[in-house]
């Protein structure tokens, strides 16, 4: 019995530490709170990843109805989302990517430009609930969630 009680206490402590770790809201209250940036000389797939992330965050912010609010009184600082390529990231396979989030923002780093695009889509899939059955507007769907929130970590 003592082992079970101890295990429950440890589990509760770990859960509270994970919850205190933090997160970043990319959409909140019907508006997009993220500012997506790429390098000025970014390859075309990376620039496309920026446009796709901005487009779908706008859709998610309003649950697909209407247009996301652009300015809200008392607006908080925008969350920075930076999409880039690092071909020297040895731990990534071809077309691989990593998503990192901390108090500075969200970083999507691809091993190549296609990997960076896949990383942007992964944010939309994992945290936004969007799914694509096939290319095209008729083959996409999303679950109505609250805000799009990315937890700190990798």
């Amino acid at each position: 019995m003592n082992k079970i009680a101890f295990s429950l206490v440890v589990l509760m402590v770990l859960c509270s530490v994970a919850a205190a770790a933090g997160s970043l809201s990319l959409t909140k209250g019907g508006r997009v709170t993220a500012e997506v940036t790429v390098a000025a000389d970014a390859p075309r797939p990376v620039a496309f990843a920026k446009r796709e992330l901005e487009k779908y965050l706008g859709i998610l912010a309003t649950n697909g109805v209407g247009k996301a609010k652009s300015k809200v009184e008392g607006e908080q600082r925008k969350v920075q989302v930076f999409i880039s390529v690092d071909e020297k990231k040895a731990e990534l396979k071809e077309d691989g990517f990593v998503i990192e989030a901390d108090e500075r923002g969200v970083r999507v780093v691809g091993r190549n430009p296609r990997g960076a695009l896949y990383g942007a889509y992964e944010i939309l899939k994992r945290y936004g609930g969007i799914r694509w059955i096939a290319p095209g507007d008729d083959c996409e769907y999303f679950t109505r969630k609250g805000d799009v929130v990315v937890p700190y970590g990798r």
Side-chain angles (χ1 to χ4, degrees), residues 22-36 52-64 68 76-81 99 101 105-106 108 119-132 141-152:
S23 61
L24 298 168
S25 293
L26 304 185
T27 65
K28 188 169 185 131
R31 64 185 171 104
V32 175
T33 56
E35 181 179 1
V36 184
E52 288 285 275
L53 197 51
E54 290 171 336
K55 170 186 170 182
Y56 286 105
L57 286 175
I59 291 170
L60 289 167
T62 62
N63 284 324
Q76 297 175 340
R77 177 183 69 87
K78 291 268 187 184
V79 173
Q80 298 298 312
V81 179
I99 300 169
V106 178
V108 178
Y121 283 136
E122 182 65 19
I123 287 175
L124 294 168
K125 178 181 163 189
R126 187 183 312 169
Y127 305 113
I130 293 184
R131 299 289 187 266
W132 292 269
Y141 70 95
F142 62 96
T143 54
R144 296 188 189 278
K145 303 174 80 162
D147 300 326
V148 177
V149 178
V150 178
Y152 284 178

Side-chain angles (χ1 to χ4, degrees), residues 5-149:
F6 178 74
S7 297
L8 287 173
V9 169
V10 169
L11 182 62
M12 288 174 25
V13 168
L14 290 175
C15 288
S16 66
V17 168
S23 61
L24 298 168
S25 293
L26 304 185
T27 65
K28 188 169 185 131
R31 64 185 171 104
V32 175
T33 56
E35 181 179 1
V36 184
T37 57
V38 297
D41 60 346
R44 287 177 52 190
V46 176
F48 183 67
K50 175 187 186 305
R51 291 191 306 273
E52 288 285 275
L53 197 51
E54 290 171 336
K55 170 186 170 182
Y56 286 105
L57 286 175
I59 291 170
L60 289 167
T62 62
N63 284 324
V65 181
K67 189 173 181 175
K69 300 173 192 171
S70 59
K71 188 173 181 182
V72 175
E73 195 171 314
E75 186 170 2
Q76 297 175 340
R77 177 183 69 87
K78 291 268 187 184
V79 173
Q80 298 298 312
V81 179
F82 187 69
I83 305 172
S84 64
V85 173
D86 184 354
E87 295 174 353
K88 296 177 184 171
K89 251 192 171 350
E91 74 266 18
L92 296 178
K93 295 180 181 177
E94 183 178 352
D95 295 343
F97 61 87
V98 64
I99 300 169
E100 302 170 321
D102 58 28
E103 62 279 346
R104 295 174 294 166
V106 178
R107 288 166 305 289
V108 178
V109 181
R111 174 82 186 260
N112 58 30
R114 193 171 40 237
L117 176 61
Y118 292 163
Y121 283 136
E122 182 65 19
I123 287 175
L124 294 168
K125 178 181 163 189
R126 187 183 312 169
Y127 305 113
I130 293 184
R131 299 289 187 266
W132 292 269
I133 298 170
D137 293 341
D138 293 338
C139 296
E140 63 190 32
Y141 70 95
F142 62 96
T143 54
R144 296 188 189 278
K145 303 174 80 162
D147 300 326
V148 177
V149 178

